[in-house]
Amino acid sequence: MRKILVTLKRVVDSNVRVRVKPDGSGMAVEGLKMSVNPFDEIALEEALRMRERGEAGEVLAVTIGGDECQQQLRTGLAMGADRALLVRCEGEVQPLAAAGILLEVIRREEPDIVIMGKQAIDDDCNQTGQMVATLWGRPQATFASEVKLNGDTARVIREVDAGLETLEVQLPAVITTDLRLNEPRYIKLPDIMKARSKPLETLSADDLVPAAPPALTALSYEPPAQRQKGVVVDDVPALMGMLRERGLVS
Amino acid sequence: MSAVLVVAEHDGQTLHAGVARAVSCGLAIEADRLDVAVLGQDCGGVARQAARIEGVTRVLCLDRSENAKPVAAIRAPQLAALAADGYSHVLGPSTTFGKDLMPRVAALLGVPQVSDIMSVEGDRRFKRPIYAGNAVLTVETPAEHIVVGTARLASWPVAGEDGEAAIEQAQTDVELPEHTSWLELKSAETERPDLQSASVVVSGGRALGSGENFSLLYDLADRLGAAVGASRAAVDAGYVSNDMQVGQTGKIIAPDLYFAIGISGAIQHLTGIKDAGVIVAINKDPEAPIFEVADIGLVGDLFAIVPEIQAAVEDS
Ligand SMILES: Cc1cc2nc3c(=O)[nH]c(=O)nc-3n(C[C@H](O)[C@H](O)[C@H](O)COP(=O)(O)OP(=O)(O)OC[C@H]3O[C@@H](n4cnc5c(N)ncnc54)[C@H](O)[C@@H]3O)c2cc1C
């Protein structure tokens, strides 16, 4: 039976507006509602559906971070993951470092498919899945909107700028999710109770990867340039008048 | 000695319009030279287009049958080998093509990637948006290592067209994987301008209510010579295809004129249009957040207003 590894990142909830700290030293995230990165929820949902269709056996949810990330792993277990693994790590984990840690987890767990979100909504990097696939020496199918498994291959429809592209990749492979792959299920109360007794293992990142790879240094954070609020016009002739005045329509 | 390598995106025939923007980003690094790498099969035509971009020193062609389609796992090892041969920076466009490919190049080179470069503050210092554009982060790349990045195209002007760069064949001696097969690309047929380079864009949201109702916007767009875009809600509902989505997880665009019609103005949508010249919002809810960023707002029912605009444009 295929084994699936899914990664879950703890991020500020997508409905919360995050602001820059007044001194520009970071983002003011203290006390904000935290959630599983929405793209990662989609990744887990896809893995669960594969298992429910009988296409996969075990679904393992992995995260990297502090103890507080157990919360997101418990959410993953409540959604239906069989096991969870927290790789404990202090401070910010950039994509290349995360990929190096995940590679070690992959070596231990030997999954057939790794499903990850295409980007995390905090750093918006869109890199980690591709880096994992590269370090692992395996194919990638990024920005997936449909995945079909067939023996030791996956046929993946990808959302690209020009439309929908189809790739066939040999397993094991890394798949990253786009928003239209599926709609994640809601968690019911009994699932939360059940999740409490599911196994959640903890490892230390330092034990897995002795030396951190080169990293970017964050120098400063600033709010984006604000657009000025414009005018509200009363009717179409007024709108057209303004557009003509600016030479935007003839 | 710094030298920049820019990765060309193309479909085998035509150079992607974003390459001339990525070149502008590369030129901002003020390197001693800037080369463009064209990976493809029989890509001489694309190479000639790249050679006309002003500021390009050389165009390097990696012509081989495995490069016929844009498979990241196949192109990345060739690019990494090329980049490691004397370049200080390697840049791609922040399109789905560049986002797929460049992290593989970075991982092969063992360096971090700077995604979505919106400004160059020094040869190792860059600004990039985070949190759906709610903040701008200045980062510095590690000393002594090659810099890998993607250029946020809406932040960069199109470089001039009077260049005369030399075109050279390049070769890399790397093994290419066979684990990935490219099967097909389905593109929505359209005669309208490309969303990412159009000077006028007409976008619709959930309020359109159906795919048929989008014809209102197509008619207006055709009159204006505009491209048509959409919010995620309109794409999710199946009114239009995915390649029309504008926003954090769709296309980031910077037209001279943008119409947001029946779009509420969620942060994820706004992050895709903040560099637009003039934003016109049409929404029946005067409290809709889109009015906070719109240059010209009109409160009312789009099904009455859009035909009126259409008539006004036809009259002129
Ligand atoms: C991780 C993540 C990524 C996302 N990425 C994107 C993205 O890339 N792009 C994107 O667009 N969204 C994105 N979203 C979704 C975003 O949060 C919003 O849900 C979405 O933009 C809403 O689309 P909308 O404005 O069309 O719909 P709604 O928010 O439902 O707004 C519809 C608007 O139409 C108005 N209206 C209704 N009827 C009429 C009428 N007859 N005439 C005039 N006005 C009318 C209403 O007043 C309302 O303001 C993302 C969300 C998440 C969580």
Side-chain angles (χ1 to χ4, degrees):
Chain A
M1 259 316 200
R2 299 186 187 99
K3 178 170 173 178
I4 307 182
L5 189 155
V6 171
T7 56
L8 304 181
K9 186 176 185 186
R10 175 184 166 92
V11 297
V12 175
D13 189 90
S14 63
N15 294 310
V16 177
R17 179 102 189 230
V18 191
R19 284 171 208 284
V20 177
K21 284 183 184 165
D23 66 359
S25 65
M27 303 298 290
V29 295
E30 288 76 24
L32 297 183
K33 182 180 178 213
M34 304 299 284
S35 294
V36 174
N37 178 40
F39 292 96
D40 301 349
E41 267 190 329
I42 294 170
L44 178 54
E45 177 65 35
E46 196 64 15
L48 297 175
R49 290 185 190 188
M50 287 173 181
R51 192 188 62 197
E52 285 158 5
R53 286 195 298 261
E55 296 170 351
E58 192 181 43
V59 175
L60 167 67
V62 180
T63 196
I64 306 169
D67 280 329
E68 63 282 0
C69 299
Q70 290 193 15
Q71 217 183 325
Q72 279 62 46
L73 288 177
R74 288 286 169 209
T75 303
L77 291 169
M79 270 181 78
D82 299 294
R83 274 192 310 128
L85 170 64
L86 166 65
V87 181
R88 209 185 267 118
C89 191
E90 293 301 319
E92 184 209 16
V93 187
Q94 292 179 12
L96 186 61
I101 292 168
L102 289 170
L103 177 67
E104 293 308 319
V105 174
I106 286 169
R107 286 191 174 138
R108 287 169 48 124
E109 297 286 344
E110 301 188 332
D112 300 284
I113 310 174
V114 174
I115 314 182
M116 306 174 62
K118 76 166 180 182
Q119 75 193 74
I121 60 165
D122 49 6
D123 61 27
D124 280 334
C125 276
N126 196 331
Q127 301 173 8
T128 311
Q130 295 89 313
M131 288 178 164
V132 169
T134 309
L135 299 181
W136 193 17
R138 295 306 308 166
Q140 69 192 33
T142 53
F143 327 146
S145 68
E146 187 186 298
V147 179
K148 284 208 174 109
L149 300 178
N150 182 10
D152 59 0
T153 63
R155 193 171 277 215
V156 180
I157 300 184
R158 309 178 53 229
E159 292 203 3
V160 296
D161 290 341
L164 296 172
E165 184 190 85
T166 310
L167 287 184
E168 190 165 80
V169 293
Q170 280 165 23
L171 303 181
V174 175
I175 294 168
T176 77
T177 61
D178 219 317
L179 291 168
R180 277 169 285 276
L181 181 56
N182 60 51
E183 212 169 300
R185 65 196 63 192
Y186 284 102
I187 297 170
K188 298 183 212 77
L189 198 57
D191 300 329
I192 298 174
M193 305 302 288
K194 254 200 315 211
R196 290 199 183 138
S197 57
K198 288 186 179 175
L200 194 162
E201 190 192 346
T202 303
L203 291 173
S204 147
D206 295 338
D207 292 343
L208 285 178
V209 180
L216 303 177
T217 310
L219 297 179
S220 63
Y221 297 74
E222 60 196 290
Q226 293 297 331
R227 288 187 73 97
Q228 292 297 316
K229 193 178 165 155
V231 296
V232 171
V233 295
D234 290 330
D235 51 24
V236 170
L239 167 66
M240 298 309 291
M242 286 187 77
L243 292 180
R244 287 202 178 99
E245 216 169 88
R246 299 185 195 195
L248 290 164
V249 299
S250 52
Chain B
M1 262 278 280
S2 55
V4 178
L5 184 66
V6 173
V7 182
E9 174 171 0
H10 62 89
D11 61 7
Q13 321 273 312
T14 311
L15 189 70
H16 188 282
V19 179
R21 294 180 188 268
V23 165
S24 291
C25 175
L27 292 172
I29 293 163
E30 294 180 12
D32 304 306
R33 64 191 162 97
L34 183 149
D35 296 344
V36 173
V38 177
L39 280 71
Q41 184 183 23
D42 301 328
C43 47
V46 173
R48 282 191 290 280
Q49 294 163 46
R52 285 200 288 272
I53 302 175
E54 258 173 65
V56 175
T57 316
R58 290 186 305 166
V59 176
L60 304 174
C61 268
L62 281 112
D63 218 320
R64 56 192 288 181
S65 58
E66 294 92 331
N67 288 338
K69 297 297 176 191
V71 176
I74 291 174
R75 292 195 180 179
Q78 303 171 63
L79 275 166
L82 199 61
D85 188 17
Y87 291 93
S88 56
H89 296 72
V90 48
L91 297 177
S94 189
T95 55
T96 52
F97 164 81
K99 290 172 179 174
D100 187 43
L101 173 62
M102 298 311 289
R104 267 194 104 103
V105 176
L108 287 170
L109 295 168
V111 296
Q113 174 182 300
V114 186
S115 295
D116 307 315
I117 296 172
M118 50 194 289
S119 81
V120 173
E121 307 289 312
D123 58 359
R124 304 195 158 267
R125 221 174 252 207
F126 308 93
K127 287 193 187 206
R128 60 174 304 263
I130 55 172
Y131 284 95
N134 268 320
V136 175
L137 170 64
T138 305
V139 292
E140 191 161 78
T141 65
E144 318 269 305
H145 289 285
I146 186 167
V147 177
V148 176
T150 59
R152 181 181 181 275
L153 298 183
S155 300
W156 298 98
V158 175
E161 288 176 8
D162 288 329
E164 282 177 36
I167 300 176
E168 293 173 19
Q169 297 298 321
Q171 235 126 42
T172 58
D173 183 23
V174 288
E175 217 180 300
L176 301 181
E178 288 173 5
H179 50 46
T180 307
S181 318
W182 189 97
L183 299 184
E184 66 167 352
L185 173 66
K186 276 200 186 128
S187 295
E189 293 293 320
T190 174
E191 302 280 293
R192 289 184 196 95
D194 170 54
L195 187 53
Q196 273 160 313
S197 43
S199 54
V200 181
V201 172
V202 177
S203 273
R206 195 197 308 272
L208 268 294
S210 72
E212 291 79 67
N213 287 343
F214 254 82
S215 61
L216 272 178
L217 305 193
Y218 296 133
D219 292 346
L220 178 59
D222 290 343
R223 267 283 154 187
L224 296 171
V228 178
S231 71
R232 174 187 168 191
V235 178
D236 282 2
Y239 304 162
V240 295
S241 58
N242 68 288
D243 48 314
M244 291 167 64
Q245 182 174 317
V246 172
Q248 180 191 19
T249 49
K251 287 177 179 150
I252 310 278
I253 59 174
D256 300 331
L257 176 58
Y258 185 80
F259 287 89
I261 301 177
I263 292 177
S264 60
I267 178 78
Q268 294 93 352
H269 188 80
L270 300 184
T271 196
I273 58 169
K274 60 170 58 162
D275 298 302
V278 169
I279 296 176
V280 174
I282 298 165
N283 196 300
K284 69 175 184 190
D285 173 11
E287 305 294 323
I290 189 73
F291 289 120
E292 295 299 315
V293 299
D295 300 281
I296 310 172
L298 187 47
V299 179
D301 181 6
L302 76 92
F303 294 103
I305 292 170
V306 175
E308 238 189 284
I309 298 176
Q310 175 89 22
V313 181
E314 275 170 14
D315 277 353
S316 64

